[in-house]
Amino acid sequence: MIPIAKPLIEDREIEEVVKVLRSGFIAQGPKVAEFERKFAEYVGVKHAVATSSGTTALHTALLAAGVKAGDEVITTPFTFVATSNSALYVGAKPVFVDIDPKTYNIDPKKIEEAITDKTKAIMPVHLYGQPADMDTICEIADYHDLVVIEDAAQAHGAVYNDKRTGSIGNAGCFSFYPTKNMTTGEGGMITTNSNEIAEAARMFRAHGESERYTHVVLGYNFRMTDIAAAIGIVQLKKLDTLNVKRIKNAIYLTEHIKNIDGIEPPYAPENVRHVFHQYTIRVDSSKRDDMIKFLNDKGVGTGIHYPKPVYAQKLYKDLGITASCPEAEKAASEVISIPVHPSVSPEDLEKIVAALEKASKTIL
Ligand SMILES: Cc1ncc(COP(=O)(O)O)c(C=O)c1O
């Protein structure tokens, strides 16, 4: 089976982890500081603050940006649940705005009608590695005096109009979960040009400590370990090369899929560098289950990102948080992710395309 995701851990990562283990510094220490410095430089921001996961990065960024109970946070329902859960953690209410059906990202044309006097922040997600329409989002945010927190959990190295994701809003949040374009096992990072957000984020991730044993706000233990940071430093060096492999695989797939009946390949506007965390096609919703079974039987791994909009999850229903986003609902019933990661070989690509061609003839 060609898996839908595969972390690429090689000897260098293992050697660096062993060095850390032998050094005695295994919690947050010099390696975390080095990883933060290098990640900030890569993204093109003044500060990077490492955390224990992408989820804790989002939670910490919202706290640091001053989002609190009673506030509303505008976001997309077509994402992993962590995005809007982070608003819930700080007591804010997620307000869901529908997606653009071509890019799967939040539709900026629909944001203004969702703004109320309680709105404090907009959290766009760069879904599948494709940057959201940040110019329009930031213009709206400026006009209404809102904070923009980019959920860049799937978009390491993606570019929007010459700027890397994570450097465009007031803050960006990354995940280093093993399926992501780079990994630390578990881990996250907040990127920002704001001295205030960076300073507050450093406090919130470490028990609200302003200096040793002086606790000024209710913080958490969201720290990254030096063990994870050692993996991250090596992975960051490889990120561009790994992304190029993803992009090349995606180009091959689109080139061969675009003429297959019944399958819609992904779309990327000219002004972005889509880094293909996922390569996601669309098929008729009534055929999706059969398509997935067919592909799996042929040895092609698949994923559904995501099977329902976040507001359709039980948690959100129980909280009384509702929305109606027909494009997100349609996408949720039609999408299938297929393997695009750097370990997908040319032979794998041929096998994937052959399986799709056959599926189109027999199912679609
Ligand atoms: C869009 C999005 N946001 C947030 C997260 C949360 O990241 P993590 O799993 O590292 O907590 C993820 C990753 O799973 C994600 O895909």
Side-chain angles (χ1 to χ4, degrees), residues 49-62 80-86 89 123 149-154 156 172-178 180 182 184-190 222 224:
V49 181
T51 59
S52 52
S53 70
T55 307
T56 55
L58 289 165
H59 183 174
T60 305
L62 285 175
F80 184 59
V81 72
T83 310
S84 50
N85 276 2
S86 64
Y89 299 147
M123 280 174 90
I149 311 281
E150 297 170 62
D151 182 339
Q154 304 186 358
H156 319 68
C173 298
F174 292 83
S175 161
F176 302 122
Y177 189 72
K180 300 298 194 279
M182 60 175 282
T184 62
E186 294 273 9
M189 192 75 83
I190 301 159
F222 286 163
M224 178 182 275

Side-chain angles (χ1 to χ4, degrees), residues 67-308:
V67 180
K68 53 189 186 317
D71 291 340
E72 290 179 358
V73 175
I74 291 177
T75 190
T76 165
F78 197 51
T79 179
F80 184 59
V81 72
T83 310
S84 50
N85 276 2
S86 64
L88 296 178
Y89 299 147
V90 303
K93 180 185 168 194
V95 173
F96 295 107
V97 165
D98 208 355
I99 56 165
D100 173 337
K102 277 168 96 177
T103 64
Y104 303 107
N105 283 324
I106 192 166
D107 185 346
K109 291 193 296 299
K110 298 182 180 146
I111 290 178
E112 286 213 281
E113 64 203 50
I115 294 174
T116 71
D117 54 8
K118 291 185 179 159
T119 309
K120 182 74 199 256
I122 308 176
M123 280 174 90
V125 177
H126 307 305
L127 199 72
Y128 306 149
Q130 154 131 278
D133 181 359
M134 292 306 294
D135 274 357
T136 319
I137 292 166
C138 290
E139 244 170 62
I140 296 168
D142 276 353
Y143 184 78
H144 294 275
D145 200 15
L146 307 174
V147 175
V148 176
I149 311 281
E150 297 170 62
D151 182 339
Q154 304 186 358
H156 319 68
V159 179
Y160 173 89
N161 284 345
D162 303 325
K163 280 190 167 175
R164 282 203 204 279
T165 48
S167 71
I168 310 164
N170 299 81
C173 298
F174 292 83
S175 161
F176 302 122
Y177 189 72
T179 54
K180 300 298 194 279
N181 292 30
M182 60 175 282
T183 186
T184 62
E186 294 273 9
M189 192 75 83
I190 301 159
T191 50
T192 183
N193 280 313
S194 156
N195 297 341
E196 294 75 33
I197 290 179
E199 193 185 331
R202 288 184 201 285
M203 267 201 310
F204 281 114
R205 86 166 158 190
H207 285 297
E209 213 171 47
S210 60
E211 53 192 283
R212 195 81 179 128
Y213 297 129
T214 303
H215 304 275
V216 293
V217 288
L218 178 64
Y220 300 84
N221 179 354
F222 286 163
R223 292 183 298 263
M224 178 182 275
T225 65
D226 263 23
I227 303 167
I231 303 172
I233 292 164
V234 181
Q235 289 267 306
L236 181 61
K237 264 195 215 147
K238 300 197 237 178
L239 177 62
D240 283 337
T241 312
L242 297 179
N243 277 344
V244 166
K245 286 192 178 158
R246 284 177 184 269
I247 292 165
K248 281 191 175 154
N249 285 348
I251 291 171
Y252 180 96
L253 288 171
T254 297
E255 208 38 52
H256 290 79
I257 288 172
K258 68 180 187 217
N259 297 322
I260 303 180
D261 283 343
I263 301 178
E264 195 183 315
Y267 158 85
E270 291 282 305
N271 63 334
V272 307
R273 180 181 193 241
H274 186 329
V275 289
F276 289 96
H277 168 57
Q278 297 294 350
Y279 184 95
T280 303
I281 57 171
R282 271 174 112 129
V283 298
D284 189 280
S285 60
S286 65
K287 309 280 172 62
R288 183 169 67 177
D289 287 352
D290 289 345
M291 273 294 282
I292 289 174
K293 184 168 182 321
F294 188 94
L295 291 171
N296 294 166
D297 287 348
K298 296 274 178 225
V300 177
T302 52
I304 299 180
H305 306 102
Y306 293 87
K308 46 171 101 163

